[in-house]
Amino acid sequence: MSQIAERSLHTRAARSVEALRSSFTDNLFYLTGRSFQKATTADFYTALAYTVRDRMLERFILTGENYKHNTARTVCYFSAEFLLGPHLGNNILNLGLRDNLDEALRGMGLDLETLLQQEQEPGLGNGGLGRLAACYLDSLATLEIPAIGYGIRYEFGLFDQVIKDGWQVEVTDAWLRDGNPWELPKRQRRYPVKLGGHTESWRDEQDRLRVRWVSDSTVYGVAYDTPILGYGVSNVNLLRLWKSEAHDSFDFQAFNLGDYYGAVEEMVAAENLTKVLYPNDDPEAGKELRLKQQYFFVSCSLQDMVRLTLRDLGSVSRFAEKFVAQLNDTHPAIAIPELMRLLVDEHALPWEAAWDITRQSFAYTNHTLLPEALETWPLELFRRILPRHLEIIEEINRRFLDEVRLRFFDDEARVARMSLISAGPEPRVRMAHLAAVGSFAINGVATLHTELLKSTVLCDFHALWPDKISNKTNGVTPRRFIALANPPLARLIEDTLDGDWLRNLESLRQLEPYADDAGFRARWREVKLSAKQALAASMAQATGIAVDPASLFDIQAKRFHEYKRQHLKVLHIISLYCRLKSVADLDIVPRTFIFGGKAAPGYQMAKLIIKLIHCVAEVVNRDPQVNQKMKVVFIPDFNVKNAQPIYPAADLSEQISTAGKEASGTGNMKFSMNGALTIGTLDGANVEIREAVGEENFFLFGLTAAQVQERLRDGYQPGRMIEGDPELRHALELIEAGFFSHGDPQLFAPLTRKLRGEDPYLVCADYRAYLDCQDTVDTCYRDIEQWTRMSVLNVARIGRFSSDRAIREYAEDIWRVQPVPVRG
């Protein structure tokens, strides 16, 4: 009998129906202080969460002991975002407790689904970046790879999205309002983080030149730990998030002197550091806060890793044996000079030895080709906040550029391009360059993205280090995005296949023959219809708009950005509306157009597109001439929890970004994994999804990345495209005339002016190809048997887009780490 199983016979970790019912009752009484009769639904959720957590903790402790005993090399995933989604359902699934819990709760007159809906979304991420980090933590634990996720415990998440008069309004995401039963505060893990001040040089007793950082202020990072349980294994890894605090929360002397604000001023300033995810960085104060946030969490994390290295291996010089740290984009890139500071200043290692350790410890994932998204910081801001780190970066840069000069003789233009600090009147620190120089490996997140990375953004670095950049296509966890999001589909797959497909998604290939089985296709359609009915009911409750579940559900749900081209989708809707108005009996497949997603608070154009969607929806949905054939719905507050019922309900997945702009995308994978067919460009992971599912099962349109660049180089003129296409011209003219804005011609003028004058994302250039492709979709959907066959094949061939595959590739090719199973 395993250690866990043996102990569980006599502890609160037992798994029988009776044991679960007993634990639930105890937790309800002793943790919420409520009797069963007086308890609220929120109390019942809390009791259930602790009941499930109890059954994780023995595994959690045993995993830590096992990793320590094995002195296993540990992956540290550094990310400013972890968009985890609700924990309860995921942990129930991974523990295999669903059936017993369901029975235990039913016996008490409670419904498990109702309690699952009570959980607050931990809004610790903006979109794909944070959700990818969460998927990777799930896969690391499932694959039994020792790992720690390091990030920030934001008191307030991104924001809750409320729609008022068609406009996005941001509301505070107080996700911690009712507490968080999944986290374990570790107050003994408390590290100082310096900010501001100046540096002083001095010589130690061995006459070595040393540098001391004399800071203006110091905040402290306190650890909050969340266990991350693997599926079907006993391994439980760690997500450690840092909360900022002052050294002293209360100045008693100031209070006694009547300075009541001054008594808590230090505490307020310190706690503001981790108050909110992604403060608006338009004002200077916002930029300063973001830089402080990024430094704060990597400093705490690296101090923690140094402590563990000393504990387990006895010498900081063995840091790279103990840890490999993956930088999830450039947000944590300040970790490179911070580790150098710790090694050189705090532990007195020579520069060369410290640099070798640093470059063996970090790997960097690039997530964007957009110049505005490649993070840079004004030199003066850096000097004011992190004076010692700027000195270290300048020294790294000096040594690196000497290497470039030797490799590329007499090419000062290349030297300037590769410098970690840009030249000019306002020099800036280039964080992507810092990450590239300080890491032993760089990876892109889709084949096309990686090739573009080599040929554009990091071309000079690729020329210097041709073997350093590799591809690791993103993946998503099927546990959350099939098993949790789509239980009917999971049951159908379970009934059909042999083996544990949730741990080996490639085994979905066994579904291929069933695509030709009429009986199986009928069951497949029943699953899809049930998902559409559930989403239709949810949308009616949230928006008041009733839709027909039998219509084609055409869905675009993702972060709002012009390059993702939600406005191209809107132009298609307007053009289809015009066709129906012109030909009343036009034969089209009835469609429900569904949008979801948030715009960054300061991104006015993205917010204007959201407003346009609502205005078009208002016209379409109240027009009796067309609203039996088309409806438009915007689902507010798109997040992990709200997304889970969206992916299973989609017939058509809109992945229509401008080719060459989307690094990978993961929504495309989640939709396809649930049987949606994709309409899309050859952008990001669309390229690989199309190759995997088959060209005949993917609706392709639009310019390629090379053609986009060629158009822009040749002097793209969107006006010519508009004048040459009557439908496009008519759609824009309707918007400009105020048809969708109660006669106000100015409301959407910024959007239409940009499309006519600049159109940087080539909406007008791809418009006709997109409409023609949508006509093909209409034709294909009429043959429902063939459509179902295509849907089945999308799921059968999507296995390689599991995050398990991605993590295996990272582990084998970059991290060089091995699984360490925990026997339990």
Side-chain angles (χ1 to χ4, degrees):
M1 184 178 290
S2 72
Q3 297 175 59
I4 291 177
E6 185 175 2
R7 281 188 279 178
S8 295
L9 291 175
H10 307 288
T11 69
R12 61 199 294 174
R15 299 162 59 91
S16 69
V17 172
E18 273 307 312
L20 290 167
R21 189 176 293 143
S22 176
S23 287
F24 178 86
T25 304
D26 283 353
N27 283 328
L28 181 65
F29 186 81
Y30 291 108
L31 291 178
T32 73
R34 295 290 186 94
S35 67
F36 196 92
Q37 292 73 24
K38 297 287 187 180
T40 66
T41 307
D43 295 326
F44 289 135
Y45 159 76
T46 300
L48 179 58
Y50 280 105
T51 299
V52 173
R53 197 188 81 171
D54 288 346
R55 282 143 185 84
M56 297 169 59
L57 289 184
E58 279 189 297
R59 299 180 184 215
F60 187 42
I61 293 166
L62 186 61
T63 299
E65 293 170 352
N66 197 39
Y67 290 168
K68 180 181 177 183
H69 174 74
N70 282 277
T71 61
R73 193 183 198 203
T74 300
V75 176
C76 293
Y77 203 81
F78 279 33
S79 182
E81 304 179 32
F82 286 95
L83 193 56
L84 298 164
H87 291 274
L88 179 57
N90 203 68
N91 288 330
I92 290 171
L93 172 72
N94 287 359
L95 283 167
L97 286 176
R98 174 79 192 210
D99 291 343
N100 282 7
L101 266 178
D102 204 17
E103 184 178 342
L105 291 171
R106 275 203 319 272
M108 294 183 284
L110 298 173
D111 177 60
L112 177 56
E113 283 301 323
T114 300
L115 300 189
L116 287 172
Q117 291 305 311
Q118 287 296 305
E119 184 167 0
Q120 288 289 314
E121 168 98 5
L124 304 182
N126 179 38
L129 184 83
R131 185 52 234 173
L132 182 78
C135 285
Y136 281 0
L137 291 187
D138 175 272
S139 287
L140 282 161
T142 297
L143 296 176
E144 304 174 308
I145 296 171
I148 303 172
Y150 279 119
I152 301 176
R153 182 184 180 268
Y154 303 101
E155 183 178 344
F156 301 104
L158 178 64
F159 59 84
D160 289 336
Q161 182 193 55
V162 174
I163 302 298
K164 293 186 178 179
D165 190 30
W167 293 100
Q168 170 181 293
V169 176
E170 298 90 26
V171 177
T172 301
D173 172 25
W175 71 283
L176 288 169
R177 182 189 297 113
D178 298 320
N180 179 11
W182 304 105
E183 67 183 6
L184 302 163
K186 298 287 185 180
R187 298 205 62 81
Q188 72 275 23
R189 297 287 168 251
R190 191 169 186 262
Y191 298 105
V193 178
K194 298 178 180 179
L195 296 166
H198 63 278
T199 62
E200 297 175 352
S201 299
W202 57 288
R203 289 196 173 272
D204 63 15
E205 62 278 4
Q206 299 177 31
D207 199 37
R208 294 176 300 185
L209 183 65
R210 304 284 297 280
V211 177
R212 180 187 298 113
W213 180 11
V214 182
S215 64
D216 285 337
S217 63
T218 301
V219 299
Y220 287 79
V222 178
Y224 283 74
D225 292 354
T226 300
I228 303 295
L229 175 66
Y231 171 78
V233 297
S234 295
N235 291 54
V236 183
N237 283 341
L238 169 65
L239 171 62
R240 177 160 283 178
L241 303 178
W242 302 101
K243 178 182 184 293
S244 59
E245 292 185 352
H247 182 269
D248 296 307
S249 61
F250 187 76
D251 186 336
F252 192 74
Q253 185 176 0
F255 187 85
N256 277 345
L257 293 173
D259 184 4
Y260 303 130
Y261 177 77
V264 295
E265 185 176 11
E266 183 184 358
M267 178 190 71
V268 171
E271 292 186 355
N272 277 344
L273 207 59
T274 55
K275 188 68 71 176
V276 65
L277 168 70
Y278 289 164
N280 187 352
D281 61 0
D282 287 339
E284 188 67 20
K287 291 184 175 67
E288 180 176 319
L289 180 54
R290 283 190 66 168
L291 180 58
K292 287 179 177 178
Q293 282 183 339
Q294 292 177 11
Y295 173 62
F296 165 79
F297 100 80
V298 301
S299 178
C300 292
S301 304
L302 287 169
Q303 290 182 69
D304 198 44
M305 292 160 68
V306 167
R307 174 187 65 83
L308 292 169
T309 302
L310 292 172
R311 184 197 72 181
D312 294 350
L313 300 181
S315 171
V316 75
S317 64
R318 301 181 68 185
F319 183 91
E321 295 177 44
K322 176 65 180 172
F323 292 111
V324 56
Q326 189 72 34
L327 304 177
N328 192 27
D329 216 348
T330 56
H331 307 124
I334 191 64
I336 292 165
E338 171 65 0
L339 182 56
M340 287 295 292
R341 185 190 71 82
L342 291 170
L343 296 177
V344 173
D345 293 358
E346 303 294 332
H347 293 273
L349 265 64
W351 179 278
E352 291 77 7
W355 186 237
D356 284 345
I357 293 168
T358 298
R359 293 193 74 186
Q360 291 172 40
S361 300
F362 290 108
Y364 161 51
T365 299
N366 174 281
H367 282 281
T368 185
L369 298 167
L370 299 177
E372 66 270 20
L374 289 171
E375 210 169 33
T376 64
W377 294 105
L379 202 67
E380 285 310 307
L381 174 64
F382 220 95
R383 192 189 314 279
R384 180 160 49 83
I385 304 301
L386 301 170
R388 178 56 180 145
H389 296 77
L390 182 57
E391 292 177 350
I392 291 170
I393 289 170
E394 288 173 336
E395 180 62 15
I396 292 171
N397 197 39
R398 184 185 68 79
R399 293 172 181 241
F400 167 64
L401 293 183
D402 282 348
E403 180 183 350
V404 174
R405 290 185 179 97
L406 290 176
R407 175 69 175 80
F408 301 101
F409 177 67
D410 199 25
D411 190 350
E412 285 302 311
R414 184 186 298 266
V415 171
R417 291 196 306 269
M418 298 182 75
S419 175
L420 307 189
I421 300 171
S422 67
E426 295 183 359
R428 302 176 73 90
V429 180
R430 296 163 162 164
M431 302 307 284
H433 289 204
L434 175 63
V437 171
S439 300
F440 67 87
I442 304 166
N443 72 275
V445 291
T447 300
L448 174 64
H449 169 240
T450 301
E451 292 308 307
L452 290 172
L453 204 59
K454 292 177 181 178
S455 63
T456 59
V457 175
L458 295 180
C459 61
D460 290 319
F461 294 91
H462 180 56
L464 179 62
W465 299 307
D467 298 324
K468 195 168 185 176
I469 302 176
S470 67
N471 179 60
K472 297 290 173 281
T473 298
N474 285 343
V476 300
T477 170
R479 271 77 66 180
R480 181 172 293 278
F481 293 108
I482 301 180
L484 279 180
N486 200 349
L489 178 60
R491 283 193 294 271
L492 178 56
I493 295 171
E494 195 76 33
D495 292 344
T496 307
L497 302 186
D498 297 322
D500 192 353
W501 61 275
L502 276 176
R503 285 178 55 82
N504 176 23
L505 204 64
E506 293 279 8
S507 66
L508 290 179
R509 279 277 180 184
Q510 298 172 57
L511 288 174
E512 282 202 35
Y514 293 93
D516 296 320
D517 182 323
F520 182 82
R521 291 199 303 269
R523 293 179 66 192
W524 191 269
R525 286 194 295 276
E526 289 172 6
V527 167
K528 179 63 72 175
L529 181 60
S530 69
K532 293 169 72 174
Q533 289 169 336
L535 183 61
S538 173
M539 291 190 302
Q541 185 175 15
T543 69
I545 301 170
V547 303
D548 180 6
S551 64
L552 190 162
F553 276 23
D554 181 342
I555 303 182
Q556 189 175 23
K558 56 181 70 224
R559 179 171 58 91
F560 269 74
H561 195 290
E562 287 169 274
Y563 87 79
K564 294 178 185 287
R565 301 202 294 192
Q566 284 93 347
H567 45 337
L568 176 57
K569 176 80 253 173
V570 177
L571 289 172
H572 168 232
I573 294 170
I574 294 173
S575 294
L576 189 59
Y577 174 79
C578 291
R579 291 178 185 179
L580 287 168
K581 293 296 284 183
S582 300
V583 183
D585 58 349
L586 184 67
D587 181 22
I588 68 164
V589 169
R591 286 206 204 194
T592 299
F593 298 100
I594 301 169
F595 293 89
K598 297 177 179 178
Y603 193 171
Q604 296 306 318
M605 190 62 75
K607 290 176 136 181
L608 191 61
I609 294 172
I610 291 176
K611 173 63 173 175
L612 177 59
I613 290 168
H614 283 88
C615 288
V616 170
E618 182 185 2
V619 170
V620 170
N621 295 344
R622 65 183 170 86
D623 189 335
Q625 188 179 342
V626 303
N627 62 17
Q628 297 304 304
K629 293 185 176 180
M630 60 187 295
K631 288 279 183 73
V632 182
V633 185
F634 186 98
I635 300 175
D637 203 30
F638 184 69
N639 55 27
V640 177
K641 183 177 181 179
N642 293 336
Q644 284 182 202
I646 293 175
Y647 298 123
D651 293 305
L652 187 67
S653 163
E654 297 277 348
Q655 307 299 329
I656 60 177
S657 53
T658 313
K661 299 301 182 183
E662 184 76 85
S664 169
T666 52
N668 46 9
M669 302 169 191
K670 297 163 194 169
F671 279 111
S672 190
M673 223 172 245
N674 282 277
L677 305 188
T678 304
I679 182 169
T681 54
L682 287 178
D683 194 30
N686 284 359
V687 178
E688 292 155 82
I689 290 174
R690 181 169 176 261
E691 290 172 355
V693 304
E695 296 177 7
E696 69 280 6
N697 301 311
F698 185 106
F699 297 102
L700 176 66
F701 78 95
L703 301 173
T704 65
Q707 289 169 337
V708 166
Q709 291 305 313
E710 184 180 358
R711 285 285 184 99
L712 293 173
R713 275 196 311 268
D714 291 346
Y716 171 57
Q717 296 180 26
R720 290 186 177 180
M721 307 299 302
I722 295 167
E723 289 307 309
D725 193 313
E727 282 194 294
L728 174 57
R729 186 171 68 249
H730 188 205
L732 289 173
E733 287 172 350
L734 282 176
I735 298 171
E736 290 166 334
F739 183 81
F740 298 104
S741 50
H742 303 287
D744 181 358
Q746 297 304 314
L747 180 58
F748 299 113
L751 176 60
T752 56
R753 270 200 306 267
K754 193 167 186 180
L755 286 174
R756 288 184 180 278
E758 183 183 357
D759 190 20
Y761 300 110
L762 284 83
V763 170
C764 299
D766 274 346
Y767 167 87
R768 178 47 52 191
Y770 179 57
L771 259 65
D772 290 346
C773 193
Q774 288 286 4
D775 290 342
T776 302
V777 169
D778 186 286
T779 301
C780 287
Y781 195 75
R782 295 168 190 270
D783 185 348
I784 198 63
E785 293 292 347
Q786 178 61 16
W787 184 280
T788 307
R789 185 180 184 279
M790 295 164 71
S791 174
V792 173
L793 291 176
N794 262 261
V795 175
R797 296 170 179 175
I798 203 67
R800 75 174 306 270
F801 298 97
S802 168
S803 50
D804 295 348
R805 183 272 314 154
I807 288 299
R808 283 194 194 94
E809 291 181 1
Y810 276 100
E812 294 169 5
D813 302 340
I814 294 180
W815 302 330
R816 308 295 170 89
V817 294
Q818 299 296 321
V820 179
V822 175
R823 302 303 175 195

